[in-house]
Amino acid sequence: MTRPPGPAISNETTPSPRPADAGRVSDMVSSPRLPVLWLCGGSGVGKSTVAWLVFNDLAGQGALVGYVDVDQIGMLFPACDEDPDRHDFKVDNFTGLVANYRAASAQVLLVSGVIDPERGGDFADRAVDAEIVFCLLTVDESTLRWRLSTRGWPAEAVGDSMGLSSALTKAPFVTTTIDCADRTPESLARQAATLITPISSRPVTQQLPSSDLDPGAGEITVVTGPRAVGKSTISWTMAERLTLS
């Protein structure tokens, strides 16, 4: 399949409150709150790809960096009647993860995933241990259509993704927008990295909070193995069967 021509390269972003040379471990600042860079947007814009590149770059510089895919912490089937979109479930999980990462001496946290344009601010309001920068990634419709078609997604997924991106441009918690059209993932990662600076200070203790999980509450199955053996495929198939059973 031939990729359609995209518009001229755009490097414009909305103004960022952070300095242009932020994002380097050598520029670490002291703060009691964990810096979080959340890359959001519709499906196919490059959230996970760019977030992983920033993650690897900061880790390569020696920073203690964490990564969270917010979609992974919202998987609960069937959803509760009181929380059909699993929004509160994800907010609670994220809040706990931030506290645990901070207690484990993490200096910066990368997050990628879809976020509700109307209620996304709940993550910042409830995760008081975090200082979150929400960065919206956008792409033109023709490029998005090509990307999703290569994944085998239905045509209507393009409209859904564009609609979500449009709504997020109006979300008050989004402070920065990066146009991904005709940009390499590496160049996007370099730009996104300027929005975050790891902290130099660490907690007095690295002891993680103890879990109050009842051992008899249920069973946990861990599927593990070396890379590319099919862990995710097998786990997802198991989850689908349990959901449908």
Side-chain angles (χ1 to χ4, degrees):
M1 181 177 295
T2 303
R3 177 174 177 171
I9 296 176
S10 171
N11 294 318
E12 294 184 358
T13 66
T14 55
S16 168
R18 296 180 179 272
D21 60 348
R24 297 196 304 269
V25 173
S26 59
D27 298 324
M28 290 189 298
V29 296
S30 177
S31 172
R33 304 173 70 191
L34 179 65
V36 177
L37 175 60
W38 188 317
L39 299 181
C40 59
S43 299
V45 298
K47 303 181 295 295
S48 299
T49 299
V50 175
W52 268 116
L53 286 171
V54 177
F55 171 89
N56 287 325
D57 177 64
L58 291 174
Q61 296 181 58
L64 295 175
V65 53
Y67 178 86
V68 171
D69 181 336
V70 75
D71 297 331
Q72 299 291 328
I73 64 173
M75 291 186 179
L76 177 65
F77 300 93
C80 301
D81 293 338
E82 299 81 7
D83 188 23
D85 298 326
R86 306 173 183 85
H87 174 76
D88 291 332
F89 180 67
K90 286 190 284 188
V91 172
D92 287 342
N93 283 341
F94 177 76
T95 301
L97 283 168
V98 166
N100 286 343
Y101 271 117
R102 190 69 185 98
S105 298
Q107 295 168 281
V108 63
L109 178 63
L110 275 295
V111 180
S112 64
V114 174
I115 190 169
D116 189 317
E118 297 183 358
R119 298 189 291 170
D122 293 348
F123 289 91
D125 293 339
R126 305 247 304 261
V128 296
D129 293 324
E131 183 177 356
I132 309 175
V133 174
F134 293 95
C135 176
L136 172 62
L137 302 184
T138 63
V139 72
D140 63 279
E141 184 173 349
S142 62
T143 301
L144 182 63
R145 188 175 302 279
W146 176 83
R147 290 181 180 179
L148 295 184
S149 66
T150 60
R151 298 183 182 181
W153 287 33
E156 55 267 24
V158 177
D160 293 341
S161 181
M162 294 297 293
L164 176 59
S165 291
S166 176
L168 283 170
T169 61
K170 306 177 183 67
F173 56 87
V174 173
T175 57
T176 303
T177 300
I178 298 180
D179 183 0
C180 301
D182 286 349
R183 299 277 303 277
T184 65
E186 291 75 17
S187 71
L188 293 169
R190 285 193 297 271
Q191 185 171 355
T194 66
L195 305 174
I196 198 78
T197 302
I199 52 175
S200 57
S201 61
R202 300 183 180 183
V204 176
T205 176
Q206 290 183 250
Q207 183 176 358
L208 294 176
S210 60
S211 172
D212 56 0
L213 179 66
D214 180 4
E219 295 182 353
I220 298 175
T221 300
V222 178
V223 180
T224 186
R227 183 175 298 178
V229 297
K231 301 183 295 294
S232 297
T233 301
I234 293 172
S235 299
W236 183 248
T237 302
M238 292 171 60
E240 286 185 318
R241 290 181 177 179
L242 290 171
T243 302
L244 297 174
S245 61

